[in-house]
Amino acid sequence: MSNKLVSLPIPADMAANGLRLWLRREGDKPGVRRVCLDCGLPLANRSERAKYCYSCGESRRRAAIKASNTRNNAKRRMGKLSLLALLLSVMFTPAAWSQSAQLGSNSSPVVNRQGIPMPGVSVAICSPLTVSSAVVSGNIATYTVSSTSGFVAGMQVMVQGFTGADTFFNAGTLSNGQITNGLTILSVTPTTILANLTHADASSSTTGTIIQQGNSTTPCAPESTIYSDVNLTTPESQPIQTDQLGNWNAFTVPGLYYVQFYAAGLTTTIKQIYGGTSNVPCVTTALAIQFNNAGAFGCEPDLTFTAPHTLALGAGGTFNIAGTANFSGTDNFSGPVTFTGSGNTGSLSLGATALGNTSPWTGLQTFNAGLTSLGQTDADGTIFMAVPSGDIGTAINSAYAALGSSGGRIVLPPGTYSYSTPIVLSTTGKSVTVEGNNTVATVLLYTPSTGTALTLGASYSSLEHFSLETTTAGSTATGLSVLSSADSSREVRFNISGFAIDTNDGAYSLSVLQSTINSCSTAAGSIGFETTGTADETHIVSSEFRSGCATLLKLGNANPLWGSGLTLSNATSLWVDVGTGHLYCTQCHWFNASATANWFSNAGGVVQINDSQFEDDSATGSSASYATQSSGFLAMSDSTLYSGGHTVTQFVNVTGGDAQLTNILNNSPTQIPSLNGFYPDSSARAVVTGANGLSAGTITLSGGAGSHTFSVAYSTAPVCTANDTTAANAVKVSSSTTAVTLAGTTTDVIAWSCSPSAN
């Protein structure tokens, strides 16, 4: 038979689907199409007895040789080695040992409806991304993730994995290559994805996953890491393109992937493809498996132990669970173990180095769910706590005691835990970081109405990513007490609410970062945050002190507190009690929505405010002033004032001390007619009071006489004026470089002002 190829006419429908050339071997019967039994590609220039193309035939030949060698080697093994090989060959197929998986034409070649290969199609390989928390507010859902790289507004997403009361956050299924009934992305930030979701306002207590389907120009997201070689050493960029035969190939770690096929003029399609040797779970009933040296064991998509199981790994060994692991016995692991999936256990014992080479928090939060005692400590001194069966206060204290003498890290499991045993972390020299999942997922709920919920007394310690609360109405308890010994400690994304005193700071250089005081108890005189004792150099950054406290911030000594990006909103009495302390606030925001507002009171301290905003959204109410100063020093600059209707006589009532107000933008001159009572500048754009500038105040005469000493002397005697605010009585005023002296009637109140002399 001739091997000459002849050209055949191309039917119109096949031409419309992309066929440009149709060849057949001369002499072949029309309509006969011989294809490879493995890959399905047409056979050409092959014997009529051939069943496989050259590539598949070679693969089969190599596999046969390898199988033969394996059998011969097995026969030469002796004793226990032979028995072990037999045991393992019964339990697992040889391919289950693979460290990598190939995705490509063997699982999904790209062809059109007529089975004709399609070249130049883009292929993107993705894996679902973990959603650490979700919130719905105003029918807008916000999904928080580690990164939104690749997610694009307008694309469809499928959300899965939320359980219990959180299942309403789930949306979408994959059907016929499309995500149906999913959510449309409204917008993205670096760590959040927003979409319409009709539901009452709520937040999640469980986690889920999210994946995006793109369009003809946008790939799925998030894209997985893929490689061009079987050893997974050379990363390959996405998307990859199909070749002339519709083939595409990539290597990656075994697992389940979402693969998107897309190109201009094509219907974008997503397909689930399992990268690995089999999609059948592997089960072992063996009591023990031993791996030595660099041996590695892998089993996908999940692994079920049906008997008590021991795994011992030698140096360099790795045990990886990337799917779901189910343990029904008592299981012991004494080597480096990586948990990146999820699991459930009856009882699990982890060796001292079980977590030494991993940071497996996302897997452990589920994996430890069945445990009733503390988890183990990894090599860098981290205790991953299990869900406690009793009081979590006792459990945390025990975990702290179990850390080494120099301290370490305690990772709390997600959940809301009521407790009555006060948490005390105050061993000298034993620094500790207590870390939750996030402030919504990990909540410690203190139930007593007295005492202190958490005491931090070890220097260089940190409280991160959890909430400390009490629901006891009228509680007189203190939430967090930071002792003087806890110098250079910090709070990071730490929320606290419901206590008579939410935070008492007595330490040097406490840092509060991106944290929130949500509320106080109804106890009289409640305080959100106070400094006491030797507290010094407190720094509060990008944080918010909210409603429900009689006083939001109280400075209890003469040392400085620095605020940057601090929001103070809706106190019931006083926003900031400066006392004799020092407050330095930059880019701070005072906010009020009630009929009264008292932004700050200074009674001998120092207040410096710049680049800040005072916003009163209340449409009703009136008061004498928004702030008071009886003594001390006030410097305020480059800030704005606004009132939605609440009226005051003056912004700040200065009855003592000195004040300097510069570059103040008053957006509400009708509601705030002056910055202070002596300078009724209706625009209130720039008013200065203070030493060597404009000075002003009031003096109540005693026996018809009174005086005021300037805090800083003028270079020459200033020009001063005065008037009697009690009655239309004459006032005599004289000045020197250091004081102004007044003479008038008995105990009348005299308003005075001084400005630098032209001389």
Side-chain angles (χ1 to χ4, degrees):
M1 181 176 293
S2 171
N3 285 326
K4 180 180 179 181
L5 297 177
V6 296
S7 176
L8 298 180
I10 301 174
D13 62 333
M14 298 178 72
N17 283 286
L19 185 62
R20 296 293 179 266
L21 182 63
W22 193 7
L23 301 177
R24 178 182 294 147
R25 188 170 60 183
E26 187 176 45
D28 275 355
K29 295 180 180 180
V32 176
R33 189 184 183 209
R34 300 172 50 254
V35 297
C36 174
L37 297 183
D38 275 355
C39 67
L41 292 177
L43 296 176
N45 296 326
R46 299 284 287 162
S47 167
E48 293 200 7
R49 292 175 295 176
K51 298 180 180 179
Y52 309 101
C53 66
Y54 178 80
S55 176
C56 294
E58 283 296 295
S59 297
R60 283 179 166 268
R61 184 179 67 82
R62 288 193 296 269
I65 293 173
K66 182 177 179 180
S68 176
N69 290 339
T70 300
R71 288 192 297 270
N72 291 335
N73 289 335
K75 292 178 181 179
R76 289 192 292 269
R77 292 191 177 95
M78 299 171 60
K80 293 182 179 180
L81 189 60
S82 175
L83 179 59
L84 178 60
L86 177 61
L87 174 62
L88 295 177
S89 66
V90 170
M91 290 190 297
F92 309 108
T93 63
W97 299 80
S98 174
Q99 296 297 296
S100 64
Q102 181 180 10
L103 301 175
S105 296
N106 288 337
S107 55
S108 184
V110 181
V111 297
N112 63 17
R113 293 180 180 178
Q114 284 71 39
I116 299 172
M118 301 185 68
V121 175
S122 295
V123 182
I125 301 169
C126 300
S127 299
L129 180 63
T130 297
V131 178
S132 59
S133 64
V135 175
V136 60
S137 177
N139 293 326
I140 301 294
T142 301
Y143 297 95
T144 300
V145 296
S146 58
S147 170
T148 57
S149 177
F151 287 88
V152 178
M155 297 299 106
Q156 285 282 303
V157 291
M158 179 171 64
V159 182
Q160 296 179 322
F162 285 97
T163 59
D166 298 337
T167 54
F168 66 88
F169 283 111
N170 297 328
T173 58
L174 187 62
S175 177
N176 297 321
Q178 304 291 317
I179 291 178
T180 59
N181 299 317
L183 301 177
T184 301
I185 297 177
L186 294 177
S187 62
V188 297
T189 71
T191 58
T192 61
I193 299 169
L194 277 66
N196 285 319
L197 179 63
T198 303
H199 194 276
D201 291 358
S203 58
S204 68
S205 59
T206 60
T207 61
T209 62
I210 190 169
I211 191 165
Q212 167 185 287
Q213 176 172 331
N215 54 25
S216 61
T217 58
T218 304
C220 56
E223 292 180 338
S224 304
T225 301
I226 62 173
Y227 303 85
S228 60
D229 64 304
V230 69
N231 294 319
L232 307 185
T233 59
T234 306
E236 185 169 14
S237 60
Q238 296 203 55
I240 56 179
Q241 305 292 321
T242 59
D243 63 16
Q244 292 298 316
L245 297 178
N247 294 323
W248 59 279
N249 283 286
F251 295 91
T252 186
V253 295
L256 185 62
Y257 294 90
Y258 290 76
V259 181
Q260 177 177 314
F261 303 93
Y262 62 109
L266 297 181
T267 299
T268 299
T269 302
I270 266 194
K271 182 176 181 181
Q272 281 185 321
I273 297 179
Y274 184 79
T277 58
S278 171
N279 198 25
V280 180
C282 46
V283 178
T284 175
T285 58
L287 299 182
I289 300 177
Q290 177 75 39
F291 292 94
N292 293 317
N293 301 321
F297 171 77
C299 186
E300 300 84 24
D302 55 39
L303 174 65
T304 299
F305 291 105
T306 59
H309 198 89
T310 297
L311 174 64
L313 295 170
T318 300
F319 180 69
N320 180 64
I321 298 176
T324 301
N326 303 290
F327 299 88
S328 58
T330 300
D331 305 291
N332 302 280
F333 299 95
S334 59
V337 182
T338 302
F339 298 103
T340 56
S342 59
N344 57 76
T345 72
S347 176
L348 175 65
S349 172
L350 298 175
T353 61
L355 306 174
N357 66 340
T358 68
S359 180
W361 173 233
T362 55
L364 278 179
Q365 63 182 3
T366 301
F367 194 81
N368 275 345
L371 302 181
T372 58
S373 61
L374 289 177
Q376 299 298 310
T377 305
D378 73 5
D380 67 355
T382 297
I383 290 181
F384 292 90
M385 285 187 59
V387 175
S389 58
D391 188 293
I392 198 170
T394 300
I396 293 174
N397 289 337
S398 298
Y400 181 60
L403 292 172
S405 59
S406 60
R409 177 167 162 253
I410 300 172
V411 178
L412 306 176
T416 298
Y417 305 100
S418 298
Y419 74 102
S420 59
T421 303
I423 300 168
V424 181
L425 312 169
S426 58
T427 302
T428 301
K430 193 171 183 177
S431 303
V432 63
T433 294
V434 181
E435 179 182 338
N437 191 269
N438 60 62
T439 55
V440 175
T442 305
V443 179
L444 306 186
L445 195 61
Y446 184 69
T447 56
S449 60
T450 59
T452 300
L454 196 161
T455 299
L456 187 64
S459 60
Y460 298 95
S461 293
S462 185
L463 306 176
E464 303 181 8
H465 307 292
F466 69 95
S467 293
L468 180 64
E469 300 178 3
T470 181
T471 57
T472 303
S475 171
T476 59
T478 296
L480 171 64
S481 176
V482 184
L483 305 182
S484 60
S485 55
D487 57 282
S488 301
S489 292
R490 64 179 190 166
E491 304 170 19
V492 180
R493 294 184 179 177
F494 174 76
N495 290 3
I496 187 168
S497 61
F499 298 91
I501 300 175
D502 282 333
T503 298
N504 178 281
D505 169 28
Y508 173 80
S509 193
L510 174 69
S511 295
V512 180
L513 310 173
Q514 297 179 312
S515 297
T516 302
I517 290 177
N518 283 308
S519 65
C520 293
S521 80
T522 56
S526 60
I527 299 171
F529 188 102
E530 69 171 348
T531 60
T532 58
T534 59
D536 192 6
E537 296 287 343
T538 300
H539 293 260
I540 304 176
V541 180
S542 300
S543 297
E544 183 174 1
F545 296 173
R546 294 177 179 167
S547 60
C549 302
T551 301
L552 290 173
L553 176 60
K554 181 177 182 179
L555 280 60
N557 59 31
N559 295 326
L561 181 145
W562 306 82
S564 177
L566 171 62
T567 297
L568 300 155
S569 62
N570 296 323
T572 60
S573 178
L574 177 60
W575 274 244
V576 181
D577 183 355
V578 179
T580 60
H582 291 198
L583 173 67
Y584 304 95
C585 222
T586 300
Q587 295 181 342
C588 296
H589 183 195
W590 275 258
F591 177 79
N592 176 53
S594 64
T596 60
N598 191 355
W599 298 134
F600 61 84
S601 173
N602 183 15
V606 174
V607 179
Q608 291 189 12
I609 301 169
N610 66 286
D611 196 19
S612 296
Q613 179 179 5
F614 294 83
E615 179 185 358
D616 186 354
D617 278 0
S618 174
T620 60
S622 63
S623 54
S625 66
Y626 277 124
T628 60
Q629 175 173 291
S630 59
S631 63
F633 178 76
L634 166 65
M636 180 173 157
S637 64
D638 302 308
S639 298
T640 61
L641 313 178
Y642 169 78
S643 173
H646 186 145
T647 60
V648 294
T649 303
Q650 54 192 324
F651 174 72
V652 56
N653 182 17
V654 179
T655 59
D658 291 296
Q660 297 179 359
L661 286 77
T662 60
N663 296 331
I664 307 301
L665 176 60
N666 185 359
N667 289 309
S668 306
T670 301
Q671 289 77 29
I672 311 173
S674 70
L675 298 186
N676 64 52
F678 307 105
Y679 297 96
D681 177 6
S682 62
S683 62
R685 301 289 172 172
V687 175
V688 180
T689 65
N692 284 318
L694 297 176
S695 298
T698 59
I699 295 175
T700 300
L701 300 180
S702 175
S707 64
H708 171 77
T709 300
F710 306 125
S711 60
V712 178
Y714 285 85
S715 57
T716 59
V719 177
C720 298
T721 60
N723 69 287
D724 192 324
T725 64
T726 302
N729 297 321
V731 179
K732 180 182 179 181
V733 57
S734 61
S735 65
S736 67
T737 58
T738 58
V740 58
T741 302
L742 306 173
T745 304
T746 60
T747 58
D748 285 4
V749 177
I750 308 302
W752 60 271
S753 65
C754 297
S755 60
S757 171
N759 296 322

